[in-house]
Amino acid sequence: MSLVHQGVLRDAFAEASHFRSELYACLTARGDALFELCDALLCTDGPVRTLVDLALAPEHRRGHGALYGGLNQGRIDVARLRRALAEVPLPRAADGRLVLAVDVSPWLRPDADTCADRSFCHTFGRGEGKHQMVPGWPYSIVAALETGRTSWTAVLDAVRLEPGADVAAVTTVQIREVIERLVAAGQWQEGDPEVLVVLDAGYDAPRIAHLLEGLPVQILGRLRSDRVMRRPTPPRSGLRGRPPKHGGEFVFGDPDTWGTEQAVTTTDTRLYGKATAQAWDRLHPRLTRRAAWLDHDGPLPIIEGTVVRLVVEKLPSGGVNKPVWLWWSKTGATSDDVDRCWRSFLRRFDVEHTFRLFKQTLGWTKPRLRSSEAADRWTWLVIAAYAQLRLARPLATDLRRPWEKPAPPDKLTPARVRRGFRNLRAKTGSPTRAPKPSRPGPGRPPGSKNRHPATRHEVGRVLATGEAYSRPAHHKKGTKPRRSA
């Protein structure tokens, strides 16, 4: 082993040990139970099915009562944990730029009428394989993306969307706070390339770009294929009448309105064949005083950007390769900018691998917790566990199954790094104290009735306008849902 490699391993071990110490300091109440629960989550073999299985792990030296007590009555200094996540080494693009992805992943609780703060979550492919709205807890997650083919991301923040929340406003505040923490941690300095934030079609990219004006960020969002944009204001030809505010229409579905592109690139890819990207400069949506802009003070802004149309030769799944429309918050795009935009958007789907790992391997949505605050604590424990897996990448040994192909140390998946984390934990140690012997409480006497039934809660909905939508929880068969204004 070379001296350089030894130095890399030494630095990685020191970084992982420091983060574990910082995580323990963030657990301000019932910290020992929460920290050992996080270690059990990292060291358990196979996917997590139930919380009780984690209580049986050797790393969790306390009973299952302490496990649930930590989730229900524990406290986590989330602000300090967010700062700790922003201070760890983060992946960057080839030009040293930070690329962040924002997406919403639901924790579905369709039958939990006693759970508060549930909202209707948009799902696809559940049951009948179509778009559905299912009650649950939606979480907005921000993650830093890597370059190249990988299943790794660096999760930086998570916010539970409450019923009646304005998605664009919540996302804007979340991105702003993440950028401020990255600047305070030295991850971005004056003169560095601006941070690129990638959004999917469910976000209003021009509005978010307008709300984040003044920050060193660029917004890249996907647009629907039926959108209509406007060109810049043409020169005024006369002195009569009010001057025009918008130029001609740019209809995505009508090629006759496109005109000449400002930049065109063609790239040969391994999975998609030939990828062609066209860019049109200085296009903006025509805003009206409704929905999110209903209470806007002053004249409506003109939010100009660059529209990119991406067409690929084929799809790996064999489906119909429809064009993808993107909107970039900057103007004057060059060929390099266009290539960076569509490549970064394709990298956005790496966050789906993180969501799948959270749910299928780490058991993020497996616990049947009643309190939304307990769900938030469990969510942050899962994020902290994943951060430790990412820091342990250079230190992990590949404990592969006989049927799995060998992989170099820098190509291990998060699930394979998790297999060897128990050996790493033995070297770093645990800051928790030894458990004290105790006996469980008597509980409710057998056969007695529950005289304190749990309260049923309504299910709300998250809208772009911030206008609440709710229905009463149904407890009797045959009742129909009602809408309340």
Side-chain angles (χ1 to χ4, degrees):
M1 183 182 300
S2 63
L3 296 178
V4 176
H5 186 58
Q6 291 180 1
V8 172
L9 295 181
R10 192 183 309 109
D11 294 342
F13 185 82
E15 192 71 36
S17 301
H18 174 72
F19 182 82
R20 286 174 60 83
S21 301
E22 191 68 15
L23 172 61
Y24 183 73
C26 295
L27 309 177
T28 56
R30 304 199 179 217
D32 294 338
L34 292 175
F35 192 89
E36 290 190 357
L37 175 59
C38 187
D39 276 357
L41 179 63
L42 287 168
C43 300
T44 301
D45 295 332
V48 175
R49 304 297 183 187
T50 61
L51 287 179
V52 179
D53 292 338
L54 297 179
L56 301 177
E59 289 76 17
H60 193 276
R61 300 176 295 174
R62 290 159 173 82
H64 68 279
L67 184 149
Y68 283 101
L71 290 177
N72 292 323
Q73 283 86 36
R75 287 195 302 269
I76 301 178
D77 189 350
V78 177
R80 183 171 181 176
L81 183 54
R82 283 170 170 157
R83 292 194 298 268
L85 292 172
E87 292 173 356
V88 299
L90 298 179
R92 298 177 181 270
D95 58 349
R97 184 191 307 270
L98 285 170
V99 181
L100 306 181
V102 184
D103 204 355
V104 176
S105 185
W107 182 342
L108 300 181
R109 301 301 308 276
D111 302 323
D113 291 339
T114 60
C115 292
D117 301 327
R118 289 186 305 160
S119 304
F120 285 105
C121 306
H122 178 268
T123 59
F124 179 79
R126 184 177 184 269
E128 300 179 0
K130 61 181 181 181
H131 296 273
Q132 296 178 345
M133 301 298 291
V134 181
W137 291 314
Y139 281 85
S140 176
I141 295 179
V142 179
L145 303 178
E146 296 189 0
T147 58
R149 297 182 61 197
T150 178
S151 57
W152 288 93
T153 60
V155 179
L156 297 174
D157 192 28
V159 173
R160 176 170 48 82
L161 301 177
E162 297 182 354
D166 186 346
V167 178
V170 173
T171 304
T172 300
V173 174
Q174 186 180 19
I175 295 175
R176 182 180 299 275
E177 293 178 351
V178 168
I179 297 299
E180 291 175 354
R181 289 194 295 270
L182 293 177
V183 173
Q187 301 283 6
W188 187 90
Q189 299 177 359
E190 194 69 30
D192 293 346
E194 293 183 328
V195 181
L196 180 63
V197 181
V198 186
L199 309 172
D200 205 1
Y203 293 89
D204 189 352
R207 183 188 173 200
I208 293 178
H210 174 71
L211 295 177
L212 290 176
E213 188 176 2
L215 286 180
V217 297
Q218 301 175 5
I219 302 299
L220 175 65
R222 184 176 181 177
L223 301 177
R224 301 191 312 270
S225 59
D226 59 349
R227 290 290 298 268
V228 178
M229 290 285 178
R230 290 303 186 103
R231 300 185 184 277
T233 305
R236 190 174 182 180
S237 57
L239 299 179
R240 292 186 177 182
R242 189 175 64 177
K245 190 175 181 181
H246 308 282
E249 291 186 343
F250 184 94
V251 184
F252 287 7
D254 187 4
D256 296 335
T257 62
W258 295 352
T260 306
E261 312 93 333
Q262 272 65 43
V264 181
T265 63
T266 302
T267 308
D268 292 329
T269 63
R270 185 180 62 87
L271 295 177
Y272 304 98
K274 183 179 295 184
T276 303
Q278 303 166 273
W280 291 268
D281 195 19
R282 297 189 63 190
L283 297 179
H284 65 272
R286 180 178 180 179
L287 305 179
T288 57
R289 291 192 178 277
R290 60 181 181 181
W293 301 97
L294 183 62
D295 300 327
H296 180 77
D297 296 333
L300 295 176
I302 300 295
I303 310 174
E304 290 188 340
T306 301
V307 171
V308 179
R309 181 178 182 266
L310 175 65
V311 180
V312 297
E313 187 177 1
K314 61 179 180 178
L315 294 179
S317 60
V320 181
N321 53 342
K322 298 181 181 180
V324 175
W325 292 91
L326 305 175
W327 185 87
W328 185 44
S329 60
K330 295 296 180 179
T331 57
T334 63
S335 299
D336 294 338
D337 296 330
V338 174
D339 282 339
R340 182 175 63 253
C341 285
W342 70 262
R343 290 180 184 275
S344 300
F345 177 77
L346 294 184
R347 291 267 62 85
R348 190 209 70 83
F349 294 96
D350 292 343
V351 76
E352 303 294 341
H353 297 290
T354 301
F355 294 157
R356 187 179 299 111
L357 176 82
F358 279 11
K359 296 180 179 181
Q360 297 183 1
T361 303
L362 300 182
W364 173 34
T365 58
K366 295 297 183 182
R368 296 297 179 254
L369 302 173
R370 177 180 297 178
S371 171
S372 58
E373 291 78 9
D376 293 343
R377 296 185 192 98
W378 173 246
T379 300
W380 280 108
L381 287 183
V382 173
I383 293 176
Y386 180 72
Q388 294 182 65
L389 290 179
R390 196 171 65 84
L391 294 176
R393 289 173 66 182
L395 307 171
T397 304
D398 186 14
L399 304 178
R400 66 183 183 91
R401 303 290 189 253
W403 56 85
E404 293 176 343
K405 296 181 179 179
D410 58 338
K411 296 296 183 181
L412 294 179
T413 61
R416 291 171 76 162
V417 172
R418 179 170 173 256
R419 295 174 190 169
F421 192 86
R422 177 170 289 171
N423 300 331
L424 177 63
R425 178 187 177 275
K427 299 178 181 178
T428 58
S430 176
T432 59
R433 295 162 293 185
K436 299 178 181 180
S438 62
R439 63 180 60 183
R444 192 169 73 242
S448 62
K449 294 183 179 180
N450 181 14
R451 301 184 183 277
H452 302 281
T455 305
R456 264 57 178 174
H457 299 275
E458 297 180 353
V459 182
R461 188 173 183 179
V462 176
L463 298 179
T465 59
E467 182 181 350
Y469 169 92
S470 62
R471 68 167 176 83
H474 310 299
H475 320 301
K476 298 181 181 180
K477 294 183 178 179
T479 57
K480 295 182 179 181
R482 296 180 300 171
R483 286 195 178 185
S484 62

